[in-house]
Amino acid sequence: SFPNGIPSLSELKGHGRRVIESIDEKPAPVRYSFYLGPLGVTALLLAAVVAAGNAVCMQECARIGNELEDRLLQCMDNCEVHSASTSGSTKSPCEKKCSRQVGSTRRQARRQQAECMGGCRHAPFVRRTLSLIGVLALLPVVPFLGSYRGACSCECCKGQGCSAKLAFFVVAWTAYGFSVLWVLPSIAEDAGDIGGKVLFVVTQGIAMASMYASRRFAEYAEAKEDEVAYRMATFGVAGAEAIGATVGPAVAAGPAVKALQDQVEQLQKQVEELARRQVNLEKAAAKAEREAFVGEPQLLAEPTQLL
């Protein structure tokens, strides 16, 4: 948030610089994903905009052609009704009359409609190039985000239960698999179609968001494990117990940890026993010094009495 409500140009530049610096501090796969993701989405959206413009143009051509053909048919129906009492064929005179009245025949209306729709295929090379760039930019994003430490580790298989990291990991790869089905339609679909591009962007967006969430949960769990290891190395098991509950049973339980805890307790008892003995020795030494100090005046007084 900006203090004055509306940011100035210098504030926007500073904010953008901080965003870029925060991205550059991340690992290389995450940096690539942060740059490739927006690039791919932007390219596909531009291709979809071009295709949507073509679709609007084609619909307008179809509407004009249908209206022209409807006028011809309506004119011919009215002409045939009025001339039904006359003998002979009325089809040819009605067609000529209606073609002069409307300005074209049915065949000419269909040809004009086809020519109009053919002219609506604007920028085919640009549209396909943008679609290809978008697809190629988005496809490696999910594998890049999923290349973190312990990504293929299955907590359920180890008996540790399901975790948020594993759940988002499965959702990400499932959505990624569905998005692969729309790769070719996104590139090779017709000039006025945008369905393949939209479905590809939606499924890729779900996959990228889920994989990034899985990576964040994995980094959080790894940071907790590092903190526990540091506390165990520095303060012993008693220091690690303070955060053992947030890490899980893999750190807070287990025979190795219990054995270490028993050894630490034994050492603590031995240290307490040694400290207690040290205190007793100090008390005994102090008492002996006081007794020796009290006995010295008596020895000095005896020679005086003799004199």
Side-chain angles (χ1 to χ4, degrees):
S1 62
F2 298 95
N4 298 327
I6 300 176
S8 62
L9 182 59
S10 60
E11 291 175 342
L12 289 175
K13 289 182 178 179
H15 183 69
R17 191 181 303 109
R18 288 191 296 271
V19 171
I20 294 175
E21 290 176 354
S22 65
I23 294 175
D24 291 337
E25 293 175 356
K26 298 183 179 297
V30 180
R31 291 201 306 270
Y32 299 153
S33 302
F34 271 73
Y35 291 123
L36 289 176
L39 173 63
V41 172
T42 303
L44 284 174
L45 288 179
L46 290 176
V49 168
V50 175
N54 294 341
V56 171
C57 180
M58 289 180 179
Q59 290 179 358
E60 185 67 17
C61 292
R63 185 187 64 81
I64 294 174
N66 292 333
E67 288 181 356
L68 188 60
E69 190 171 355
D70 289 341
R71 288 173 57 191
L72 283 170
L73 292 175
Q74 187 177 3
C75 178
M76 290 180 65
D77 291 340
N78 294 332
C79 178
E80 290 176 358
V81 169
H82 289 301
S83 60
S85 60
T86 61
S87 60
S89 177
T90 59
K91 185 175 180 180
S92 179
C94 287
E95 286 184 354
K96 293 179 181 179
K97 177 182 177 182
C98 291
S99 63
R100 288 195 301 269
Q101 182 178 351
V102 176
S104 63
T105 62
R106 294 177 63 184
R107 185 177 298 176
Q108 290 175 346
R110 292 175 181 174
R111 186 176 66 251
Q112 291 175 3
Q113 181 180 355
E115 291 176 355
C116 178
M117 295 183 69
C120 288
R121 301 176 181 274
H122 304 297
F125 177 76
V126 174
R127 176 175 52 82
R128 294 186 186 277
T129 303
L130 288 174
S131 301
L132 181 62
I133 292 174
V135 168
L136 294 179
L138 287 180
L139 281 178
V141 172
V142 172
F144 280 155
L145 291 176
S147 61
Y148 57 85
R149 185 184 303 174
C152 298
S153 177
C154 179
E155 289 83 0
C156 297
C157 303
K158 298 178 180 179
Q160 300 176 359
C162 186
S163 62
K165 182 210 80 169
L166 183 60
F168 280 111
F169 191 80
V170 173
V171 171
W173 281 115
T174 303
Y176 186 82
F178 279 107
S179 70
V180 174
L181 300 176
W182 303 103
V183 170
L184 290 179
S186 299
I187 300 173
E189 61 186 355
D190 195 34
D193 295 337
I194 62 173
K197 299 176 181 61
V198 172
L199 289 173
F200 181 78
V201 171
V202 170
T203 51
Q204 278 288 326
I206 296 173
M208 289 186 293
S210 301
M211 188 60 75
Y212 185 73
S214 176
R215 187 184 186 96
R216 293 289 297 172
F217 278 109
E219 291 175 351
Y220 179 76
E222 185 178 358
K224 285 295 183 182
E225 291 179 0
D226 294 341
E227 185 177 357
V228 170
Y230 171 76
R231 291 195 174 218
M232 290 182 65
T234 307
F235 307 106
V237 178
E241 286 178 350
I243 58 172
T246 60
V247 177
V251 177
V257 176
K258 291 180 179 178
L260 290 174
Q261 186 174 1
D262 294 338
Q263 293 178 4
V264 171
E265 290 178 355
Q266 292 177 2
L267 291 175
Q268 288 178 349
K269 291 180 180 179
Q270 293 177 3
V271 170
E272 291 176 357
E273 182 65 22
L274 291 175
R276 187 177 61 80
R277 291 182 180 180
Q278 181 67 26
V279 171
N280 293 334
L281 290 174
E282 291 178 355
K283 289 181 179 179
K287 185 177 180 181
E289 289 179 358
R290 287 197 300 271
E291 291 178 353
F293 180 76
V294 172
E296 287 179 358
Q298 296 177 358
L299 295 175
L300 294 173
E302 291 178 356
T304 307
Q305 294 175 0
L306 295 174
L307 294 173

